[in-house]
Amino acid sequence: MSRETSDLKQAGLKATRPRLMILQLLEDSEERHLTAEGVYRSLLDAGEEVGLATVYRVLTQFEQAGLVKRHHFDGERAFFELDENKHHDHMVCVRCGRVEEFYNEQIERLQQEVAKEHGFRLTDHRMELYGLCADCLREKQEG
Protein backbone atom coordinates (compact mmCIF):
# COMPACT_ATOMS: atom_id res chain seq x y z
CA MET A 1 0.00 0.00 0.00
CA SER A 2 1.41 3.40 -0.97
CA ARG A 3 1.93 6.15 1.58
CA GLU A 4 -0.80 8.25 -0.08
CA THR A 5 -3.30 5.39 0.07
CA SER A 6 -2.44 4.80 3.72
CA ASP A 7 -2.81 8.53 4.54
CA LEU A 8 -6.24 8.62 2.89
CA LYS A 9 -7.46 5.48 4.65
CA GLN A 10 -6.27 6.80 8.03
CA ALA A 11 -8.26 9.98 7.33
CA GLY A 12 -11.36 7.90 6.54
CA LEU A 13 -11.32 8.65 2.80
CA LYS A 14 -11.43 6.20 -0.09
CA ALA A 15 -8.32 6.15 -2.23
CA THR A 16 -9.85 7.48 -5.45
CA ARG A 17 -7.71 8.53 -8.41
CA PRO A 18 -8.38 12.29 -7.98
CA ARG A 19 -7.59 12.14 -4.24
CA LEU A 20 -4.40 10.17 -4.85
CA MET A 21 -3.27 12.54 -7.62
CA ILE A 22 -3.92 15.66 -5.53
CA LEU A 23 -2.29 14.25 -2.40
CA GLN A 24 0.77 13.16 -4.41
CA LEU A 25 1.00 16.62 -5.98
CA LEU A 26 0.85 18.33 -2.57
CA GLU A 27 3.52 16.00 -1.20
CA ASP A 28 5.88 16.38 -4.18
CA SER A 29 5.46 20.08 -4.93
CA GLU A 30 8.40 22.39 -4.20
CA GLU A 31 5.83 25.09 -3.49
CA ARG A 32 4.23 24.26 -0.14
CA HIS A 33 1.27 26.66 -0.38
CA LEU A 34 -0.94 26.08 -3.40
CA THR A 35 -4.27 27.46 -4.51
CA ALA A 36 -6.92 25.12 -5.90
CA GLU A 37 -6.33 26.74 -9.28
CA GLY A 38 -2.61 26.02 -8.96
CA VAL A 39 -3.30 22.38 -8.15
CA TYR A 40 -5.68 22.19 -11.12
CA ARG A 41 -3.14 23.74 -13.54
CA SER A 42 -0.38 21.41 -12.31
CA LEU A 43 -2.57 18.37 -12.86
CA LEU A 44 -3.53 19.55 -16.36
CA ASP A 45 0.15 20.20 -17.16
CA ALA A 46 0.89 16.63 -16.07
CA GLY A 47 -1.73 15.35 -18.52
CA GLU A 48 -4.29 14.43 -15.88
CA GLU A 49 -7.95 14.96 -16.65
CA VAL A 50 -9.64 16.40 -13.60
CA GLY A 51 -12.17 19.18 -13.17
CA LEU A 52 -11.63 22.32 -11.12
CA ALA A 53 -14.76 21.51 -9.09
CA THR A 54 -13.24 18.12 -8.22
CA VAL A 55 -10.04 19.81 -7.05
CA TYR A 56 -12.02 22.16 -4.79
CA ARG A 57 -14.12 19.29 -3.43
CA VAL A 58 -11.08 17.09 -2.70
CA LEU A 59 -9.15 19.91 -1.02
CA THR A 60 -12.17 20.65 1.17
CA GLN A 61 -12.43 16.95 2.06
CA PHE A 62 -8.71 16.92 2.88
CA GLU A 63 -9.15 19.96 5.11
CA GLN A 64 -12.08 18.38 6.95
CA ALA A 65 -10.06 15.17 7.40
CA GLY A 66 -7.07 17.09 8.79
CA LEU A 67 -4.73 16.36 5.87
CA VAL A 68 -4.35 19.98 4.77
CA LYS A 69 -4.64 23.44 6.27
CA ARG A 70 -6.34 26.32 4.50
CA HIS A 71 -4.92 29.85 4.63
CA HIS A 72 -6.18 33.16 3.25
CA PHE A 73 -2.95 35.14 2.94
CA ASP A 74 -4.25 37.76 0.52
CA GLY A 75 -7.72 37.89 2.02
CA GLU A 76 -9.41 36.31 -0.99
CA ARG A 77 -7.85 33.19 -2.44
CA ALA A 78 -7.46 30.07 -0.34
CA PHE A 79 -4.01 28.50 -0.13
CA PHE A 80 -3.58 24.90 0.95
CA GLU A 81 -0.63 23.18 2.60
CA LEU A 82 -0.17 19.67 3.94
CA ASP A 83 -0.78 19.50 7.68
CA GLU A 84 2.37 17.93 9.03
CA ASN A 85 1.49 18.68 12.66
CA LYS A 86 4.53 20.94 13.06
CA HIS A 87 3.77 24.52 14.04
CA HIS A 88 5.20 27.29 11.90
CA ASP A 89 4.34 30.85 10.94
CA HIS A 90 4.36 32.60 7.58
CA MET A 91 5.90 35.60 5.84
CA VAL A 92 4.00 36.68 2.72
CA CYS A 93 5.40 38.89 -0.03
CA VAL A 94 2.83 41.54 -0.93
CA ARG A 95 4.33 41.94 -4.40
CA CYS A 96 4.84 38.42 -5.79
CA GLY A 97 2.79 36.39 -3.29
CA ARG A 98 5.68 34.18 -2.21
CA VAL A 99 5.07 32.48 1.15
CA GLU A 100 7.96 31.61 3.44
CA GLU A 101 7.56 29.46 6.52
CA PHE A 102 9.48 30.14 9.69
CA TYR A 103 9.64 29.06 13.31
CA ASN A 104 11.20 31.15 16.06
CA GLU A 105 11.39 29.83 19.62
CA GLN A 106 11.69 33.34 21.11
CA ILE A 107 8.50 34.51 19.39
CA GLU A 108 6.66 31.41 20.57
CA ARG A 109 7.85 31.95 24.15
CA LEU A 110 6.89 35.66 24.08
CA GLN A 111 3.41 34.82 22.87
CA GLN A 112 2.96 32.44 25.78
CA GLU A 113 4.23 35.07 28.22
CA VAL A 114 1.89 37.76 26.85
CA ALA A 115 -1.06 35.39 27.05
CA LYS A 116 -0.18 34.44 30.63
CA GLU A 117 0.16 38.12 31.66
CA HIS A 118 -3.40 38.66 30.43
CA GLY A 119 -4.79 35.54 32.11
CA PHE A 120 -5.23 33.87 28.74
CA ARG A 121 -4.40 30.26 27.88
CA LEU A 122 -3.42 29.83 24.24
CA THR A 123 -4.87 26.85 22.42
CA ASP A 124 -3.66 27.86 18.97
CA HIS A 125 -2.38 30.86 17.09
CA ARG A 126 -1.40 32.05 13.65
CA MET A 127 1.21 34.62 12.75
CA GLU A 128 1.44 36.08 9.27
CA LEU A 129 3.97 38.78 8.44
CA TYR A 130 3.53 40.81 5.25
CA GLY A 131 6.25 42.65 3.36
CA LEU A 132 8.64 42.30 0.43
CA CYS A 133 10.72 39.16 -0.13
CA ALA A 134 14.43 39.40 -0.90
CA ASP A 135 13.89 39.02 -4.67
CA CYS A 136 11.26 41.78 -4.81
CA LEU A 137 13.42 44.07 -2.65
CA ARG A 138 16.33 43.51 -5.03
CA GLU A 139 14.13 44.28 -8.07
CA LYS A 140 12.80 47.40 -6.39
CA GLN A 141 16.34 48.66 -5.66
CA GLU A 142 17.53 47.88 -9.18
CA GLY A 143 14.48 49.43 -10.85
Side-chain angles (χ1 to χ4, degrees):
M1 180 183 315
S2 73
R3 178 173 173 232
E4 290 81 18
T5 301
S6 174
D7 289 347
L8 290 174
K9 288 188 178 191
Q10 285 179 348
L13 297 170
K14 285 185 180 178
T16 64
R17 182 163 172 77
R19 287 179 182 149
L20 288 168
M21 289 185 310
I22 292 170
L23 186 56
Q24 183 70 52
L25 175 72
L26 291 170
E27 289 178 346
D28 293 345
S29 177
E30 287 184 21
E31 193 174 337
R32 295 200 15 90
H33 304 86
L34 298 167
T35 63
E37 294 82 4
V39 170
Y40 173 70
R41 278 192 308 276
S42 294
L43 291 172
L44 288 181
D45 290 347
E48 299 291 347
E49 291 187 28
V50 64
L52 182 58
T54 299
V55 171
Y56 274 106
R57 184 174 53 256
V58 168
L59 288 171
T60 299
Q61 292 168 346
F62 284 1
E63 179 186 18
Q64 292 169 345
L67 294 173
V68 300
K69 286 187 176 183
R70 180 187 305 244
H71 302 280
H72 292 275
F73 298 125
D74 63 5
E76 294 177 22
R77 294 178 300 166
F79 290 80
F80 298 88
E81 71 172 318
L82 285 175
D83 186 352
E84 297 173 333
N85 290 320
K86 293 190 323 192
H87 174 74
H88 60 269
D89 296 305
H90 299 95
M91 291 182 284
V92 182
C93 181
V94 297
R95 181 183 256 175
C96 72
R98 182 166 141 190
V99 178
E100 292 285 334
E101 297 176 355
F102 73 95
Y103 177 82
N104 183 290
E105 185 62 43
Q106 289 178 295
I107 290 173
E108 299 302 317
R109 190 176 62 254
L110 284 171
Q111 289 171 341
Q112 291 293 335
E113 288 174 16
V114 168
K116 187 176 179 180
E117 288 170 9
H118 289 82
F120 201 83
R121 184 177 60 90
L122 289 181
T123 57
D124 196 10
H125 80 276
R126 178 183 328 191
M127 177 182 281
E128 296 168 2
L129 305 175
Y130 295 87
L132 296 174
C133 69
D135 292 340
C136 288
L137 275 173
R138 198 169 18 263
E139 287 176 19
K140 187 176 179 181
Q141 290 171 349
E142 293 171 357

PDB file of all heavy atoms in Angstrom, residues 2-34:
ATOM      1  N   SER A   2       0.606   2.180  -0.892  1.00  0.00           N
ATOM      2  CA  SER A   2       1.414   3.395  -0.969  1.00  0.00           C
ATOM      3  C   SER A   2       1.146   4.298   0.234  1.00  0.00           C
ATOM      4  O   SER A   2       0.123   4.162   0.915  1.00  0.00           O
ATOM      5  CB  SER A   2       1.103   4.155  -2.265  1.00  0.00           C
ATOM      6  OG  SER A   2      -0.160   4.776  -2.177  1.00  0.00           O
ATOM      7  N   ARG A   3       2.074   5.205   0.458  1.00  0.00           N
ATOM      8  CA  ARG A   3       1.928   6.152   1.577  1.00  0.00           C
ATOM      9  C   ARG A   3       0.661   6.988   1.411  1.00  0.00           C
ATOM     10  O   ARG A   3      -0.064   7.238   2.374  1.00  0.00           O
ATOM     11  CB  ARG A   3       3.157   7.051   1.651  1.00  0.00           C
ATOM     12  CG  ARG A   3       3.057   8.074   2.754  1.00  0.00           C
ATOM     13  CD  ARG A   3       4.343   8.841   2.936  1.00  0.00           C
ATOM     14  NE  ARG A   3       4.080   9.898   3.884  1.00  0.00           N
ATOM     15  CZ  ARG A   3       4.370  11.161   3.667  1.00  0.00           C
ATOM     16  NH1 ARG A   3       4.954  11.539   2.565  1.00  0.00           N
ATOM     17  NH2 ARG A   3       4.097  12.076   4.566  1.00  0.00           N
ATOM     18  N   GLU A   4       0.382   7.432   0.180  1.00  0.00           N
ATOM     19  CA  GLU A   4      -0.799   8.251  -0.075  1.00  0.00           C
ATOM     20  C   GLU A   4      -2.076   7.477   0.244  1.00  0.00           C
ATOM     21  O   GLU A   4      -2.984   8.003   0.870  1.00  0.00           O
ATOM     22  CB  GLU A   4      -0.831   8.735  -1.536  1.00  0.00           C
ATOM     23  CG  GLU A   4       0.228   9.755  -1.879  1.00  0.00           C
ATOM     24  CD  GLU A   4       1.595   9.123  -2.155  1.00  0.00           C
ATOM     25  OE1 GLU A   4       1.673   7.906  -2.421  1.00  0.00           O
ATOM     26  OE2 GLU A   4       2.592   9.855  -2.083  1.00  0.00           O
ATOM     27  N   THR A   5      -2.131   6.215  -0.195  1.00  0.00           N
ATOM     28  CA  THR A   5      -3.303   5.388   0.070  1.00  0.00           C
ATOM     29  C   THR A   5      -3.489   5.214   1.572  1.00  0.00           C
ATOM     30  O   THR A   5      -4.594   5.326   2.096  1.00  0.00           O
ATOM     31  CB  THR A   5      -3.162   4.008  -0.613  1.00  0.00           C
ATOM     32  OG1 THR A   5      -3.004   4.213  -2.020  1.00  0.00           O
ATOM     33  CG2 THR A   5      -4.372   3.141  -0.358  1.00  0.00           C
ATOM     34  N   SER A   6      -2.394   4.962   2.267  1.00  0.00           N
ATOM     35  CA  SER A   6      -2.440   4.803   3.719  1.00  0.00           C
ATOM     36  C   SER A   6      -2.918   6.080   4.402  1.00  0.00           C
ATOM     37  O   SER A   6      -3.755   6.031   5.314  1.00  0.00           O
ATOM     38  CB  SER A   6      -1.056   4.415   4.231  1.00  0.00           C
ATOM     39  OG  SER A   6      -1.033   4.377   5.628  1.00  0.00           O
ATOM     40  N   ASP A   7      -2.393   7.237   3.960  1.00  0.00           N
ATOM     41  CA  ASP A   7      -2.808   8.526   4.537  1.00  0.00           C
ATOM     42  C   ASP A   7      -4.306   8.749   4.350  1.00  0.00           C
ATOM     43  O   ASP A   7      -4.993   9.212   5.265  1.00  0.00           O
ATOM     44  CB  ASP A   7      -2.036   9.682   3.894  1.00  0.00           C
ATOM     45  CG  ASP A   7      -0.578   9.725   4.307  1.00  0.00           C
ATOM     46  OD1 ASP A   7      -0.195   9.021   5.268  1.00  0.00           O
ATOM     47  OD2 ASP A   7       0.190  10.464   3.655  1.00  0.00           O
ATOM     48  N   LEU A   8      -4.813   8.428   3.162  1.00  0.00           N
ATOM     49  CA  LEU A   8      -6.241   8.616   2.891  1.00  0.00           C
ATOM     50  C   LEU A   8      -7.080   7.683   3.757  1.00  0.00           C
ATOM     51  O   LEU A   8      -8.083   8.114   4.336  1.00  0.00           O
ATOM     52  CB  LEU A   8      -6.546   8.389   1.409  1.00  0.00           C
ATOM     53  CG  LEU A   8      -6.021   9.454   0.458  1.00  0.00           C
ATOM     54  CD1 LEU A   8      -6.256   9.036  -0.996  1.00  0.00           C
ATOM     55  CD2 LEU A   8      -6.674  10.800   0.724  1.00  0.00           C
ATOM     56  N   LYS A   9      -6.687   6.438   3.847  1.00  0.00           N
ATOM     57  CA  LYS A   9      -7.457   5.481   4.645  1.00  0.00           C
ATOM     58  C   LYS A   9      -7.467   5.872   6.116  1.00  0.00           C
ATOM     59  O   LYS A   9      -8.491   5.771   6.781  1.00  0.00           O
ATOM     60  CB  LYS A   9      -6.928   4.062   4.443  1.00  0.00           C
ATOM     61  CG  LYS A   9      -7.286   3.522   3.077  1.00  0.00           C
ATOM     62  CD  LYS A   9      -6.953   2.069   2.931  1.00  0.00           C
ATOM     63  CE  LYS A   9      -7.394   1.620   1.538  1.00  0.00           C
ATOM     64  NZ  LYS A   9      -7.365   0.199   1.370  1.00  0.00           N
ATOM     65  N   GLN A  10      -6.324   6.354   6.632  1.00  0.00           N
ATOM     66  CA  GLN A  10      -6.266   6.803   8.030  1.00  0.00           C
ATOM     67  C   GLN A  10      -7.188   7.995   8.254  1.00  0.00           C
ATOM     68  O   GLN A  10      -7.707   8.178   9.349  1.00  0.00           O
ATOM     69  CB  GLN A  10      -4.836   7.163   8.420  1.00  0.00           C
ATOM     70  CG  GLN A  10      -3.954   5.968   8.645  1.00  0.00           C
ATOM     71  CD  GLN A  10      -2.534   6.370   9.009  1.00  0.00           C
ATOM     72  OE1 GLN A  10      -2.132   7.526   8.886  1.00  0.00           O
ATOM     73  NE2 GLN A  10      -1.755   5.399   9.458  1.00  0.00           N
ATOM     74  N   ALA A  11      -7.391   8.810   7.218  1.00  0.00           N
ATOM     75  CA  ALA A  11      -8.264   9.978   7.325  1.00  0.00           C
ATOM     76  C   ALA A  11      -9.725   9.610   7.068  1.00  0.00           C
ATOM     77  O   ALA A  11     -10.594  10.475   7.113  1.00  0.00           O
ATOM     78  CB  ALA A  11      -7.816  11.058   6.334  1.00  0.00           C
ATOM     79  N   GLY A  12      -9.984   8.337   6.776  1.00  0.00           N
ATOM     80  CA  GLY A  12     -11.356   7.896   6.544  1.00  0.00           C
ATOM     81  C   GLY A  12     -11.858   8.182   5.142  1.00  0.00           C
ATOM     82  O   GLY A  12     -13.062   8.235   4.909  1.00  0.00           O
ATOM     83  N   LEU A  13     -10.939   8.350   4.189  1.00  0.00           N
ATOM     84  CA  LEU A  13     -11.317   8.647   2.803  1.00  0.00           C
ATOM     85  C   LEU A  13     -10.920   7.496   1.894  1.00  0.00           C
ATOM     86  O   LEU A  13      -9.870   6.882   2.070  1.00  0.00           O
ATOM     87  CB  LEU A  13     -10.616   9.930   2.323  1.00  0.00           C
ATOM     88  CG  LEU A  13     -10.969  11.213   3.058  1.00  0.00           C
ATOM     89  CD1 LEU A  13     -10.030  12.334   2.632  1.00  0.00           C
ATOM     90  CD2 LEU A  13     -12.413  11.595   2.796  1.00  0.00           C
ATOM     91  N   LYS A  14     -11.767   7.209   0.902  1.00  0.00           N
ATOM     92  CA  LYS A  14     -11.425   6.198  -0.090  1.00  0.00           C
ATOM     93  C   LYS A  14     -10.287   6.706  -0.955  1.00  0.00           C
ATOM     94  O   LYS A  14     -10.185   7.900  -1.241  1.00  0.00           O
ATOM     95  CB  LYS A  14     -12.623   5.896  -0.990  1.00  0.00           C
ATOM     96  CG  LYS A  14     -13.689   5.065  -0.345  1.00  0.00           C
ATOM     97  CD  LYS A  14     -14.759   4.736  -1.359  1.00  0.00           C
ATOM     98  CE  LYS A  14     -15.849   3.897  -0.748  1.00  0.00           C
ATOM     99  NZ  LYS A  14     -16.905   3.619  -1.735  1.00  0.00           N
ATOM    100  N   ALA A  15      -9.470   5.796  -1.399  1.00  0.00           N
ATOM    101  CA  ALA A  15      -8.316   6.148  -2.231  1.00  0.00           C
ATOM    102  C   ALA A  15      -8.737   6.215  -3.698  1.00  0.00           C
ATOM    103  O   ALA A  15      -8.430   5.335  -4.488  1.00  0.00           O
ATOM    104  CB  ALA A  15      -7.190   5.139  -2.032  1.00  0.00           C
ATOM    105  N   THR A  16      -9.445   7.288  -4.059  1.00  0.00           N
ATOM    106  CA  THR A  16      -9.855   7.477  -5.450  1.00  0.00           C
ATOM    107  C   THR A  16      -8.712   8.102  -6.243  1.00  0.00           C
ATOM    108  O   THR A  16      -7.792   8.693  -5.671  1.00  0.00           O
ATOM    109  CB  THR A  16     -11.090   8.396  -5.543  1.00  0.00           C
ATOM    110  OG1 THR A  16     -10.728   9.694  -5.053  1.00  0.00           O
ATOM    111  CG2 THR A  16     -12.256   7.837  -4.740  1.00  0.00           C
ATOM    112  N   ARG A  17      -8.776   7.978  -7.559  1.00  0.00           N
ATOM    113  CA  ARG A  17      -7.707   8.533  -8.407  1.00  0.00           C
ATOM    114  C   ARG A  17      -7.524  10.042  -8.189  1.00  0.00           C
ATOM    115  O   ARG A  17      -6.396  10.492  -7.991  1.00  0.00           O
ATOM    116  CB  ARG A  17      -7.987   8.216  -9.874  1.00  0.00           C
ATOM    117  CG  ARG A  17      -6.885   8.733 -10.797  1.00  0.00           C
ATOM    118  CD  ARG A  17      -6.965   8.074 -12.163  1.00  0.00           C
ATOM    119  NE  ARG A  17      -6.057   8.682 -13.102  1.00  0.00           N
ATOM    120  CZ  ARG A  17      -4.745   8.475 -13.137  1.00  0.00           C
ATOM    121  NH1 ARG A  17      -4.193   7.672 -12.247  1.00  0.00           N
ATOM    122  NH2 ARG A  17      -3.984   9.069 -14.037  1.00  0.00           N
ATOM    123  N   PRO A  18      -8.601  10.852  -8.201  1.00  0.00           N
ATOM    124  CA  PRO A  18      -8.385  12.292  -7.975  1.00  0.00           C
ATOM    125  C   PRO A  18      -7.743  12.583  -6.617  1.00  0.00           C
ATOM    126  O   PRO A  18      -6.852  13.425  -6.518  1.00  0.00           O
ATOM    127  CB  PRO A  18      -9.790  12.887  -8.068  1.00  0.00           C
ATOM    128  CG  PRO A  18     -10.562  11.924  -8.889  1.00  0.00           C
ATOM    129  CD  PRO A  18     -10.001  10.573  -8.547  1.00  0.00           C
ATOM    130  N   ARG A  19      -8.172  11.908  -5.570  1.00  0.00           N
ATOM    131  CA  ARG A  19      -7.592  12.136  -4.240  1.00  0.00           C
ATOM    132  C   ARG A  19      -6.115  11.754  -4.217  1.00  0.00           C
ATOM    133  O   ARG A  19      -5.293  12.481  -3.666  1.00  0.00           O
ATOM    134  CB  ARG A  19      -8.357  11.340  -3.182  1.00  0.00           C
ATOM    135  CG  ARG A  19      -9.721  11.912  -2.875  1.00  0.00           C
ATOM    136  CD  ARG A  19     -10.443  11.075  -1.856  1.00  0.00           C
ATOM    137  NE  ARG A  19     -11.766  11.587  -1.595  1.00  0.00           N
ATOM    138  CZ  ARG A  19     -12.800  10.831  -1.262  1.00  0.00           C
ATOM    139  NH1 ARG A  19     -12.648   9.516  -1.118  1.00  0.00           N
ATOM    140  NH2 ARG A  19     -13.977  11.370  -1.054  1.00  0.00           N
ATOM    141  N   LEU A  20      -5.796  10.610  -4.813  1.00  0.00           N
ATOM    142  CA  LEU A  20      -4.401  10.172  -4.846  1.00  0.00           C
ATOM    143  C   LEU A  20      -3.528  11.146  -5.635  1.00  0.00           C
ATOM    144  O   LEU A  20      -2.427  11.483  -5.212  1.00  0.00           O
ATOM    145  CB  LEU A  20      -4.306   8.765  -5.444  1.00  0.00           C
ATOM    146  CG  LEU A  20      -4.822   7.634  -4.553  1.00  0.00           C
ATOM    147  CD1 LEU A  20      -4.951   6.339  -5.339  1.00  0.00           C
ATOM    148  CD2 LEU A  20      -3.906   7.440  -3.349  1.00  0.00           C
ATOM    149  N   MET A  21      -4.039  11.608  -6.789  1.00  0.00           N
ATOM    150  CA  MET A  21      -3.269  12.543  -7.621  1.00  0.00           C
ATOM    151  C   MET A  21      -3.017  13.848  -6.880  1.00  0.00           C
ATOM    152  O   MET A  21      -1.905  14.382  -6.891  1.00  0.00           O
ATOM    153  CB  MET A  21      -4.019  12.851  -8.926  1.00  0.00           C
ATOM    154  CG  MET A  21      -4.070  11.719  -9.900  1.00  0.00           C
ATOM    155  SD  MET A  21      -4.838  12.168 -11.488  1.00  0.00           S
ATOM    156  CE  MET A  21      -6.362  12.958 -11.008  1.00  0.00           C
ATOM    157  N   ILE A  22      -4.044  14.374  -6.226  1.00  0.00           N
ATOM    158  CA  ILE A  22      -3.918  15.659  -5.529  1.00  0.00           C
ATOM    159  C   ILE A  22      -3.012  15.528  -4.315  1.00  0.00           C
ATOM    160  O   ILE A  22      -2.149  16.377  -4.075  1.00  0.00           O
ATOM    161  CB  ILE A  22      -5.312  16.214  -5.171  1.00  0.00           C
ATOM    162  CG1 ILE A  22      -6.043  16.604  -6.472  1.00  0.00           C
ATOM    163  CG2 ILE A  22      -5.206  17.412  -4.229  1.00  0.00           C
ATOM    164  CD1 ILE A  22      -7.514  16.933  -6.297  1.00  0.00           C
ATOM    165  N   LEU A  23      -3.153  14.456  -3.558  1.00  0.00           N
ATOM    166  CA  LEU A  23      -2.295  14.251  -2.396  1.00  0.00           C
ATOM    167  C   LEU A  23      -0.834  14.097  -2.829  1.00  0.00           C
ATOM    168  O   LEU A  23       0.068  14.688  -2.229  1.00  0.00           O
ATOM    169  CB  LEU A  23      -2.753  13.034  -1.593  1.00  0.00           C
ATOM    170  CG  LEU A  23      -2.040  12.788  -0.272  1.00  0.00           C
ATOM    171  CD1 LEU A  23      -2.129  14.010   0.642  1.00  0.00           C
ATOM    172  CD2 LEU A  23      -2.623  11.568   0.420  1.00  0.00           C
ATOM    173  N   GLN A  24      -0.599  13.335  -3.895  1.00  0.00           N
ATOM    174  CA  GLN A  24       0.766  13.161  -4.414  1.00  0.00           C
ATOM    175  C   GLN A  24       1.348  14.497  -4.854  1.00  0.00           C
ATOM    176  O   GLN A  24       2.496  14.816  -4.560  1.00  0.00           O
ATOM    177  CB  GLN A  24       0.764  12.172  -5.591  1.00  0.00           C
ATOM    178  CG  GLN A  24       2.146  11.882  -6.136  1.00  0.00           C
ATOM    179  CD  GLN A  24       2.967  11.068  -5.170  1.00  0.00           C
ATOM    180  OE1 GLN A  24       2.520  10.028  -4.714  1.00  0.00           O
ATOM    181  NE2 GLN A  24       4.168  11.514  -4.861  1.00  0.00           N
ATOM    182  N   LEU A  25       0.548  15.305  -5.532  1.00  0.00           N
ATOM    183  CA  LEU A  25       1.004  16.622  -5.982  1.00  0.00           C
ATOM    184  C   LEU A  25       1.384  17.505  -4.790  1.00  0.00           C
ATOM    185  O   LEU A  25       2.434  18.149  -4.796  1.00  0.00           O
ATOM    186  CB  LEU A  25      -0.084  17.313  -6.809  1.00  0.00           C
ATOM    187  CG  LEU A  25       0.221  18.736  -7.241  1.00  0.00           C
ATOM    188  CD1 LEU A  25       1.284  18.751  -8.327  1.00  0.00           C
ATOM    189  CD2 LEU A  25      -1.031  19.424  -7.737  1.00  0.00           C
ATOM    190  N   LEU A  26       0.551  17.519  -3.759  1.00  0.00           N
ATOM    191  CA  LEU A  26       0.846  18.327  -2.567  1.00  0.00           C
ATOM    192  C   LEU A  26       2.121  17.850  -1.878  1.00  0.00           C
ATOM    193  O   LEU A  26       2.906  18.658  -1.387  1.00  0.00           O
ATOM    194  CB  LEU A  26      -0.328  18.283  -1.585  1.00  0.00           C
ATOM    195  CG  LEU A  26      -1.602  18.989  -2.029  1.00  0.00           C
ATOM    196  CD1 LEU A  26      -2.757  18.666  -1.083  1.00  0.00           C
ATOM    197  CD2 LEU A  26      -1.392  20.484  -2.125  1.00  0.00           C
ATOM    198  N   GLU A  27       2.334  16.548  -1.854  1.00  0.00           N
ATOM    199  CA  GLU A  27       3.522  16.003  -1.201  1.00  0.00           C
ATOM    200  C   GLU A  27       4.796  16.265  -1.999  1.00  0.00           C
ATOM    201  O   GLU A  27       5.851  16.488  -1.425  1.00  0.00           O
ATOM    202  CB  GLU A  27       3.356  14.504  -0.952  1.00  0.00           C
ATOM    203  CG  GLU A  27       2.347  14.212   0.147  1.00  0.00           C
ATOM    204  CD  GLU A  27       2.127  12.725   0.378  1.00  0.00           C
ATOM    205  OE1 GLU A  27       2.536  11.894  -0.473  1.00  0.00           O
ATOM    206  OE2 GLU A  27       1.530  12.388   1.412  1.00  0.00           O
ATOM    207  N   ASP A  28       4.693  16.255  -3.325  1.00  0.00           N
ATOM    208  CA  ASP A  28       5.879  16.382  -4.183  1.00  0.00           C
ATOM    209  C   ASP A  28       6.207  17.813  -4.595  1.00  0.00           C
ATOM    210  O   ASP A  28       7.311  18.076  -5.058  1.00  0.00           O
ATOM    211  CB  ASP A  28       5.706  15.542  -5.455  1.00  0.00           C
ATOM    212  CG  ASP A  28       5.675  14.051  -5.164  1.00  0.00           C
ATOM    213  OD1 ASP A  28       6.062  13.646  -4.048  1.00  0.00           O
ATOM    214  OD2 ASP A  28       5.251  13.289  -6.053  1.00  0.00           O
ATOM    215  N   SER A  29       5.277  18.718  -4.444  1.00  0.00           N
ATOM    216  CA  SER A  29       5.457  20.081  -4.927  1.00  0.00           C
ATOM    217  C   SER A  29       6.545  20.818  -4.144  1.00  0.00           C
ATOM    218  O   SER A  29       6.604  20.733  -2.919  1.00  0.00           O
ATOM    219  CB  SER A  29       4.141  20.859  -4.811  1.00  0.00           C
ATOM    220  OG  SER A  29       4.320  22.197  -5.219  1.00  0.00           O
ATOM    221  N   GLU A  30       7.397  21.538  -4.868  1.00  0.00           N
ATOM    222  CA  GLU A  30       8.397  22.386  -4.201  1.00  0.00           C
ATOM    223  C   GLU A  30       7.711  23.552  -3.509  1.00  0.00           C
ATOM    224  O   GLU A  30       8.179  24.033  -2.488  1.00  0.00           O
ATOM    225  CB  GLU A  30       9.413  22.896  -5.220  1.00  0.00           C
ATOM    226  CG  GLU A  30      10.364  21.830  -5.700  1.00  0.00           C
ATOM    227  CD  GLU A  30      11.413  22.375  -6.638  1.00  0.00           C
ATOM    228  OE1 GLU A  30      11.676  23.597  -6.617  1.00  0.00           O
ATOM    229  OE2 GLU A  30      11.972  21.575  -7.398  1.00  0.00           O
ATOM    230  N   GLU A  31       6.614  24.009  -4.085  1.00  0.00           N
ATOM    231  CA  GLU A  31       5.829  25.089  -3.492  1.00  0.00           C
ATOM    232  C   GLU A  31       4.894  24.469  -2.462  1.00  0.00           C
ATOM    233  O   GLU A  31       4.083  23.602  -2.784  1.00  0.00           O
ATOM    234  CB  GLU A  31       5.027  25.807  -4.585  1.00  0.00           C
ATOM    235  CG  GLU A  31       4.442  27.102  -4.152  1.00  0.00           C
ATOM    236  CD  GLU A  31       3.792  27.839  -5.314  1.00  0.00           C
ATOM    237  OE1 GLU A  31       4.145  27.584  -6.464  1.00  0.00           O
ATOM    238  OE2 GLU A  31       2.915  28.669  -5.027  1.00  0.00           O
ATOM    239  N   ARG A  32       4.995  24.897  -1.219  1.00  0.00           N
ATOM    240  CA  ARG A  32       4.232  24.265  -0.139  1.00  0.00           C
ATOM    241  C   ARG A  32       2.841  24.849   0.058  1.00  0.00           C
ATOM    242  O   ARG A  32       2.023  24.281   0.754  1.00  0.00           O
ATOM    243  CB  ARG A  32       5.018  24.362   1.171  1.00  0.00           C
ATOM    244  CG  ARG A  32       6.305  23.580   1.107  1.00  0.00           C
ATOM    245  CD  ARG A  32       6.917  23.209   2.422  1.00  0.00           C
ATOM    246  NE  ARG A  32       6.130  23.309   3.612  1.00  0.00           N
ATOM    247  CZ  ARG A  32       5.370  22.331   4.123  1.00  0.00           C
ATOM    248  NH1 ARG A  32       5.272  21.188   3.513  1.00  0.00           N
ATOM    249  NH2 ARG A  32       4.716  22.524   5.246  1.00  0.00           N
ATOM    250  N   HIS A  33       2.565  25.995  -0.546  1.00  0.00           N
ATOM    251  CA  HIS A  33       1.273  26.659  -0.377  1.00  0.00           C
ATOM    252  C   HIS A  33       0.669  26.871  -1.756  1.00  0.00           C
ATOM    253  O   HIS A  33       1.111  27.727  -2.512  1.00  0.00           O
ATOM    254  CB  HIS A  33       1.460  27.989   0.346  1.00  0.00           C
ATOM    255  CG  HIS A  33       2.150  27.830   1.657  1.00  0.00           C
ATOM    256  ND1 HIS A  33       3.522  27.820   1.770  1.00  0.00           N
ATOM    257  CD2 HIS A  33       1.655  27.631   2.897  1.00  0.00           C
ATOM    258  CE1 HIS A  33       3.841  27.640   3.039  1.00  0.00           C
ATOM    259  NE2 HIS A  33       2.735  27.520   3.745  1.00  0.00           N
ATOM    260  N   LEU A  34      -0.338  26.074  -2.062  1.00  0.00           N
ATOM    261  CA  LEU A  34      -0.936  26.082  -3.398  1.00  0.00           C
ATOM    262  C   LEU A  34      -2.400  26.476  -3.340  1.00  0.00           C
ATOM    263  O   LEU A  34      -3.112  26.100  -2.409  1.00  0.00           O
ATOM    264  CB  LEU A  34      -0.824  24.694  -4.031  1.00  0.00           C
ATOM    265  CG  LEU A  34       0.586  24.158  -4.277  1.00  0.00           C
ATOM    266  CD1 LEU A  34       0.536  22.670  -4.592  1.00  0.00           C
ATOM    267  CD2 LEU A  34       1.224  24.921  -5.418  1.00  0.00           C
TER     268      LEU A  34
END
